[in-house]
């Protein structure tokens, strides 16, 4: 059941939060031994919270009243351990809830548990398996959030994205991922990776659910999905890395563009100017430089407890000079302004969500070629599950909108989904 | 003794870190009962660290080797409590060092203790007294950092600024404060207030010491202070709030501009365009909006443990809409671009550091009228102690440079100081 429908049924007294949480817990007990989506969950505490919410007066209820939510284990929780999937922090119990967790609870949501992340939301894989094929990875770094939502363990899960950490695992698991405009959801209590890029978002099973969550925790406008927008003007952006997408993905995107054009959308090719295409390498300079500094304590104090994959990335981060970093930041700022002007004739862009199907289990989570420039530019991104690849695993198409135009972008993403999904 | 000189003498074997730390501790034991600069310090631990550093091989030593540093108590430390000066976090012991603390230690610095901050670096005053007059406040929010450095308890102390929280207390205490370009020092482990504005910097007794610290923790270039720059082109920016500065401050700035012109500087009036002047109110929208969200956990969970002053500010933050906030952010971005163009004919700006002398003890720390637009714009700011007011308390002049031009700005601030200080 979708989060939006569950919220409506709880509001109308046709469903209790306790029954919904019980259903989620049953699914988790059944499937978790195979999937490994959870770093931690506390069934008794979740049920207690659900019962308390069921007793709460209707006037006090928030937009997520009674809805269980998975929380990526890089976000602090005062009542659950938070490990950032690092051996350094096994059993660590933060003193606070991250701002987005506090907001989830204030809106009536139940933090059901902590979903598996890659180590510090970086490149060392999580043990989670892809519910669509247990020999595959869900991708990362929001591995458990994507797997738990795709496997019906929970209707919503919080994710974070610095490269492609929401969009990519959502696509690999066949669900919706939504990374809002940079800064839309406050980051206090997030274990920082790259402070000028890290963005909090959500994984859900529909665009409406993703929109409901971000509305509930940020106060941003909930789009009216019943009001059909006119067909959008779509920029078809194959991206400079088009040849890195596999054939099925390229075919999917071409077919999708044609279908949307037949449905009334005005589809034109959209080529990134070289200044924006260059951001693929600039993003590495910014993210690795900042990550090395953000994890300075762990790097200097516990070098033996950091994976080889992450250590290599941190060492790379220390090799960038401040001048490289400043130049990359200036370049990114100029690109934001340039791209905003270029997007003026378009409502949304259509572009791949990932290179293809999910990678093998425990393989590197892969480069975020089709995501990281959008993240650095701060633009809202939505991935929509759409079609399958050669191994019958899910593929996705990505909708990208102008900065701060999240409500419009979500409405158009919904429009696209209704025609392709 | 200055940090730069102490570092040289330790390097040359004419001073031990242990002797330096002992001298600081003697001063603290003597003066702390009157001043109240410290939330916590551990003499034994500091001495142990100093002795270990004295035994370290010369080849392994960093640029702050053996130098004691005060750490504002909104920055996490793994070996000392961190309270954010809130009753909610009495005795709280973080699991990590903030990135800037880890970098201080990696550079050979000794985190001597935690300096008093206002509650969550906001507007409820700290108990600290101004060493220049015990009936006065050092200002805030970096109250203890400014007082400890001014009172010779420690040569350097880390501060943070969201409005005027470094520049203002440094000016009130008659020392140097340096807020680098936004983002120069990584913020992981800082208790966030306003994530798009919060900036880490330093309070010191000379421009050279301030520059040394930021070089040591960020890797940013250390200016060559022996190489005299040509006299700068100075924009004299009285600011739209000139009439809020008291007469002594206005006279000080006018006199300083004349003296610098006589010393060879090319001084011209610099008027902020209305789009930049408007940022005084836009800054409130951004800072209060973000602060309310960053402290959502504390606000919802412990309303009775938040001061009335801060509660009022948080409630104000919740009243701003997302549209107000987005508009303020767009306005600030446009102003950054506009001001960068306008500053092209100038090396630095000269502007007041504060409205006048330090306020009475425990009075509100005051509005940051002369600081907050520069903070929002992300520009490097240095306050230089210069002259006194009607009560013979210190005043300061503020030097503001272009974004990322920190080394040049520091060299010119040093040039100005040699002529005015």
């Amino acid at each position: 059941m979708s989060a939006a429908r569950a919220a409506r049924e709880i509001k109308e007294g046709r469903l209790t939060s306790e029954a919904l949480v019980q259903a989620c817990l049953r699914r988790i007990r059944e499937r978790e031994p195979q999937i490994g989506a959870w770093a931690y969950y506390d069934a008794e505490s979740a049920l207690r919270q659900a019962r308390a919410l069921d007793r709460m007066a209707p006037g006090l209820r928030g937009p997520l009243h009674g809805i269980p939510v998975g929380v990526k284990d890089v976000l602090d929780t005062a009542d659950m351990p938070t490990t950032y999937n690092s051996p350094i922090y096994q059993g660590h119990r933060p003193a606070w809830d991250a701002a987005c967790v506090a907001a989830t609870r204030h809106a009536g949501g139940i933090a059901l548990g902590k979903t598996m992340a890659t180590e510090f939301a970086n490149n060392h894989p999580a043990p989670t398996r892809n519910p669509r094929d247990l020999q595959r990875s869900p991708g990362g770094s929001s591995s458990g959030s994507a797997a738990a939502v795709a496997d019906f363990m929970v209707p919503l899960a919080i994710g974070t994205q610095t490269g492609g950490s929401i969009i990519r695992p959502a696509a690999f698991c066949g669900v919706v991922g939504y990374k809002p405009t940079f800064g839309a959801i406050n980051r206090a209590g997030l274990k920082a990776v790259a402070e000028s890029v890290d963005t909090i978002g959500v994984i859900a099973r529909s665009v409406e659910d993703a929109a409901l969550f971000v509305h509930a925790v940020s106060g941003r406008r909930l789009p009216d999905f019943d009001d059909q927008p006119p067909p959008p003007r779509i920029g078809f952006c194959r991206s400079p890395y088009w040849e890195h997408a596999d054939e099925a993905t390229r075919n999917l995107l071409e077919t999708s563009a044609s279908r949307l054009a037949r449905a009334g959308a005005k589809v034109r090719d959209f080529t990134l100017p070289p200044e924006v295409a260059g951001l693929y390498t600039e993003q590495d300079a910014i993210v690795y430089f900042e990550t090395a500094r953000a994890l300075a304590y762990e790097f200097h104090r516990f070098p033996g407890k950091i994976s080889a994959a992450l250590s290599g990335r941190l060492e790379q981060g220390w090799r960038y000079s401040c001048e490289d970093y400043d130049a990359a930041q200036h370049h990114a700022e100029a690109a934001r302004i340039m791209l905003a002007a270029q997007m003026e004739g378009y409502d949304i862009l259509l572009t791949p969500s990932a290179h293809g199907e999910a990678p093998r289990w425990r393989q590197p989570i892969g480069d975020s070629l089709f995501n990281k420039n959008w993240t650095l530019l701060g633009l809202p991104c939505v991935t929509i599950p759409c079609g399958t690849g050669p191994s019958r695993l899910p593929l996705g198409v990505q909708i990208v909108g102008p900065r701060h135009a999240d409500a419009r972008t979500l409405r158009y993403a919904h429009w696209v989904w209704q025609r392709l999904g």
Side-chain angles (χ1 to χ4, degrees), chain A:
Chain A
M1 190 189 293
S2 80
R5 184 166 154 209
R8 265 194 309 276
E9 298 209 350
I10 289 172
K11 189 175 176 183
E12 292 162 3
R14 287 182 285 123
L15 175 69
T16 65
S17 174
E18 183 180 2
L20 178 62
V21 169
Q22 284 285 19
C24 290
L25 290 170
R26 265 197 306 276
R27 180 72 182 173
I28 292 172
R29 274 191 290 266
E30 183 188 324
R31 294 278 296 175
E32 178 62 4
Q34 289 91 62
I35 305 293
W38 299 88
Y40 180 88
Y41 70 95
D42 182 339
E44 274 318 304
S45 164
L47 286 167
R48 257 198 318 276
Q49 293 173 59
R51 287 184 210 112
L53 288 163
D54 284 335
R55 287 190 299 269
M56 189 183 278
L60 299 171
R61 297 180 171 198
L64 289 178
H65 190 86
I67 306 297
V69 176
V71 178
K72 185 176 178 181
D73 199 29
V74 294
L75 292 159
D76 289 339
T77 44
D79 61 348
M80 295 186 274
T82 305
T83 71
Y84 322 110
N85 200 6
S86 164
I88 299 167
Y89 293 106
Q90 287 313 303
H92 167 54
R93 185 70 66 117
W96 48 58
D97 283 342
C100 66
V101 174
T104 298
R105 290 178 162 153
H106 189 66
I110 296 167
L112 187 73
K114 307 301 289 283
T115 56
M116 277 283 181
T118 62
E119 179 193 23
F120 296 118
N122 258 272
N123 50 344
H124 184 68
T128 311
R129 291 171 187 270
N130 191 316
R132 303 301 176 99
D133 177 349
L134 298 181
Q135 298 313 311
R136 300 273 180 155
S137 163
S141 65
S142 306
S143 317
S145 289
V149 169
D151 206 42
F152 301 92
M153 294 170 168
V154 74
L156 294 169
I158 312 180
T160 65
Q161 177 157 320
T162 305
S165 284
I166 291 173
I167 298 298
R168 192 177 39 189
F172 289 157
C173 293
V175 289
V176 169
Y178 168 34
K179 181 204 77 67
T181 292
F182 177 73
I185 299 179
N186 192 282
R187 299 177 302 176
L190 165 66
K191 183 74 174 160
V193 177
E195 57 182 346
S196 65
V197 188
D198 295 342
T199 309
I200 297 174
V202 66
I203 293 172
R205 287 192 300 269
S206 72
V207 176
E208 288 161 291
D209 281 8
L212 172 67
F213 177 78
V214 174
H215 160 69
V217 301
S218 73
R220 290 191 172 257
R221 193 156 59 81
L222 186 65
D224 180 358
F225 290 109
D226 294 332
D227 180 26
Q228 278 281 336
R233 298 163 301 167
I234 297 177
F236 181 17
C237 180
R238 291 178 184 81
S239 101
Y241 288 83
W242 185 243
E243 297 306 321
H244 291 253
D246 65 16
E247 199 187 335
T249 297
R250 295 201 305 268
N251 288 342
L252 169 69
L253 267 286
E254 298 287 357
T255 312
S256 299
S258 305
R259 287 173 64 191
L260 294 172
R262 282 199 300 278
K266 190 173 170 197
V267 181
R268 283 176 294 155
D269 285 351
F270 187 97
T271 305
L272 289 177
E275 293 81 356
V276 179
L279 291 181
Y280 289 82
T281 48
E282 307 275 9
Q283 215 256 10
D284 287 350
I286 293 170
V287 167
Y288 294 169
F289 180 99
E290 292 185 357
T291 303
R293 281 144 189 87
L295 297 176
Y297 171 71
E298 293 81 1
F299 183 74
H300 296 314
R301 181 77 183 72
F302 302 104
K305 291 187 170 183
I306 295 177
S307 71
L310 178 55
S311 288
R313 197 176 263 200
L314 297 177
E315 280 155 18
Q316 185 177 345
W318 289 112
R319 284 195 292 271
Y320 287 106
S321 72
C322 292
E323 288 74 22
D324 295 337
Y325 173 77
D326 291 350
Q329 287 283 17
H330 280 285
H331 190 161
E333 280 170 30
R336 270 177 212 122
I337 293 165
M338 178 180 297
L339 194 64
Q342 203 192 338
M343 281 175 78
E344 267 175 15
Y346 301 86
D347 296 306
I348 51 173
L349 304 181
L350 173 74
T351 192
S353 300
H355 72 282
E357 294 176 317
R360 310 293 301 173
W361 185 58
R362 290 230 150 167
Q363 288 300 298
I365 57 171
D367 201 345
S368 48
L369 277 182
F370 293 101
N371 313 108
K372 61 188 183 184
N373 61 337
W374 311 120
T375 317
L376 180 58
L377 292 164
L379 306 182
C381 301
V382 184
T383 180
I384 291 166
C386 185
T388 53
S391 305
R392 300 178 153 255
L393 287 166
L395 299 177
V397 299
Q398 184 173 198
I399 302 301
V400 178
R403 202 153 52 115
H404 290 137
D406 287 58
R408 276 171 59 87
T409 304
L410 288 162
R411 273 182 81 195
Y412 286 125
H414 185 67
W415 187 93
V416 168
W417 195 32
Q418 287 179 314
R419 275 139 197 95
L420 299 180

